[in-house]
Amino acid sequence: MSLEFPLLCLGSLTALWLSLTVVLKLLSAARVWLLGNGGLVRPERLGRWAVVTGATDGIGKAYAEELARRGFSIVLISRSQEKLDDVSNSIVSKCGVETKTIAADFSSTDIYSKIEVGLKGLEIGVLGDKQVGISYSYPEFFLNLPDLDPFIDTLVNVNITSVCQMTRIVLPRMVERKKGAILNMSSASGMYPVPLLSVYSASKAFVDFFSRGLQAEYKNKGVIIQSVLPFFVATKLSKIRRPTLDKPSPQRYVEAQLRTVGLQTQTNGYLPHAVMGWVTTALLPAQILNRYVMGVGLSQRSRYLKKQKLG
Ligand SMILES: NC(=O)c1ccc[n+]([C@@H]2O[C@H](COP(=O)([O-])OP(=O)(O)OC[C@H]3O[C@@H](n4cnc5c(N)ncnc54)[C@H](OP(=O)(O)O)[C@@H]3O)[C@@H](O)[C@H]2O)c1
């Protein structure tokens, strides 16, 4: 028997499988980006309170405001009581919802009993966590990082320990009620290694793996745990002042992201970022991506160091 017929069958089956995969991917993308989740993130569907860490600036503040607009009562957590009071007053006057504030510095590890007491008895529907996060002040080789020893502790406490501890505090009641959503802020820097931001990038990969692992553990208990991986958003942390299509304002990003809750366990949260995520991880070979990201880091580093010298 000639090889022609089996090869033809194999070719046709491969073409059919590829076409089906593409069609399914397009349908699922249309479901997420065109239809959304039908207003899932509402207090009547998840629970009365939303807890937002890093709630006084950037993406966290935008979550607090958007969730309040949707009717959630809000617990705001970050370091400065003064900033917490400002955001809380503005939310109360704009949205008329109840608020609570907890001042806590996530670079310490002795804050969790205070947070536990502050959250006791609340029906928590949403935890918007890791909206507090720290990065490098500029891209740098690991061994050249200023104050390396304390920097490692602080970054691990703020970016990693806090996400585990906040989950430990909030998840048990969600499991009991069989309802709730935990939105953990990772970063596109957690999708692939980012040299010269290695500790930050690795901490964001931790948040991503932790969230996806937990979702598999608690999915059938009715709790949503989502890993959120934005590219640049115009905030203080990213040092981007003017929003553009690919670097949206925190408000625009959060509105888009909340439509993906319950539909994607791992999400870039915003259509242009999803396209960027697909190009960087599915299309570009890892070696080329790594070399490109290293090049960008090196040029940002030398610009920063030159500026420091001139200043
Ligand atoms: N912006 C981006 O382009 C981008 C991209 C990918 C991922 N992310 C991630 O998104 C999250 C939010 O970033 P962002 O850009 O919104 O940051 P941001 O604008 O700098 O805001 C950070 C918030 O966290 C609070 N905070 C900072 N350090 C804290 C600490 N030690 N303890 C308690 N609260 C603290 C700040 O308030 P106080 O100063 O009052 O404490 C502020 O409310 C981070 O996890 C970041 O890694 C951001």
Side-chain angles (χ1 to χ4, degrees):
M1 192 174 78
S2 96
L3 267 180
E4 224 168 85
F5 182 68
L7 280 179
L8 195 67
C9 287
L10 191 66
S12 312
L13 280 175
T14 310
L16 185 68
W17 180 77
L18 282 176
S19 321
L20 269 178
T21 311
V22 170
V23 169
L24 283 177
K25 279 210 178 278
L26 285 175
L27 282 176
S28 124
R31 165 95 171 88
V32 174
W33 301 114
L34 297 179
L35 298 178
N37 55 12
L40 171 69
V41 187
R42 301 252 160 225
E44 50 285 9
R45 294 183 70 177
L46 296 174
R48 183 177 160 209
W49 286 84
V51 177
V52 182
T53 63
T56 48
D57 233 318
I59 300 175
K61 185 175 171 196
Y63 270 108
E65 290 172 344
E66 178 58 25
L67 290 166
R69 210 178 57 73
R70 291 171 183 230
F72 285 94
S73 301
I74 308 285
V75 183
L76 306 145
I77 308 180
S78 55
R79 283 171 301 190
S80 145
Q81 188 60 53
E82 205 184 322
K83 278 162 78 182
L84 283 166
D85 290 340
D86 282 351
V87 177
S88 164
N89 291 338
S90 141
I91 285 178
V92 171
S93 73
K94 275 191 214 147
C95 307
V97 297
E98 199 177 331
T99 61
K100 253 181 110 130
T101 61
I102 303 174
D105 184 340
F106 287 99
S107 60
S108 317
T109 49
D110 58 3
I111 51 169
Y112 295 102
S113 45
K114 176 181 175 182
I115 294 179
E116 231 168 330
V117 170
L119 300 184
K120 207 172 172 151
L122 303 183
E123 184 193 73
I124 298 171
V126 177
L127 169 63
D129 199 17
K130 291 296 335 100
Q131 271 61 280
V132 38
I134 53 165
S135 184
Y136 293 22
S137 35
Y138 68 100
E140 185 51 285
F141 290 86
F142 179 67
L143 291 179
N144 295 354
L145 281 166
D147 302 318
L148 181 56
D149 185 11
F151 177 73
I152 294 171
D153 280 345
T154 306
L155 193 135
V156 168
N157 286 344
V158 175
N159 289 11
I160 295 181
T161 307
S162 68
V163 73
C164 302
Q165 291 288 4
M166 289 304 298
T167 304
R168 172 185 69 76
I169 294 170
V170 166
L171 186 58
R173 291 274 296 119
M174 287 186 173
V175 170
E176 256 171 55
R177 294 192 302 112
K178 298 190 173 47
K179 251 189 221 174
I182 297 181
L183 316 178
N184 285 330
M185 193 58 59
S186 173
S187 162
S189 321
M191 295 168 78
Y192 40 81
V194 180
L196 305 181
L197 293 180
S198 298
V199 192
Y200 175 74
S201 162
S203 74
K204 292 300 180 179
F206 175 93
V207 174
D208 180 49
F209 269 51
F210 175 70
S211 311
R212 286 157 61 198
L214 276 194
Q215 178 63 110
E217 291 175 33
Y218 289 95
K219 196 176 182 151
N220 59 13
K221 307 267 188 232
V223 181
I224 296 165
I225 299 157
Q226 195 186 33
S227 167
V228 184
L229 307 101
F231 282 79
F232 282 123
V233 176
T235 68
K236 212 164 69 185
L237 182 113
S238 64
K239 302 187 182 81
I240 296 167
R241 288 211 190 99
R242 202 164 337 126
T244 55
L245 180 67
D246 63 325
K247 301 175 183 83
S249 68
Q251 294 74 18
R252 189 162 185 199
Y253 180 80
V254 166
E255 274 170 36
Q257 195 286 309
L258 287 175
R259 288 164 58 87
T260 70
V261 176
L263 299 179
Q264 292 183 306
T265 298
Q266 188 195 36
T267 184
N268 293 113
Y270 171 66
L271 182 57
H273 287 189
V275 174
M276 288 154 78
W278 177 70
V279 170
T280 46
T281 56
L283 283 192
L284 280 183
Q287 247 180 336
I288 293 181
L289 180 64
N290 203 268
R291 219 174 305 145
Y292 170 75
V293 179
M294 180 77 184
V296 172
L298 280 173
S299 82
Q300 285 176 343
R301 174 178 182 270
S302 68
R303 247 180 297 148
Y304 177 90
L305 293 177
K306 211 181 274 171
K307 233 190 209 169
Q308 292 297 101
K309 244 188 205 162
L310 291 175

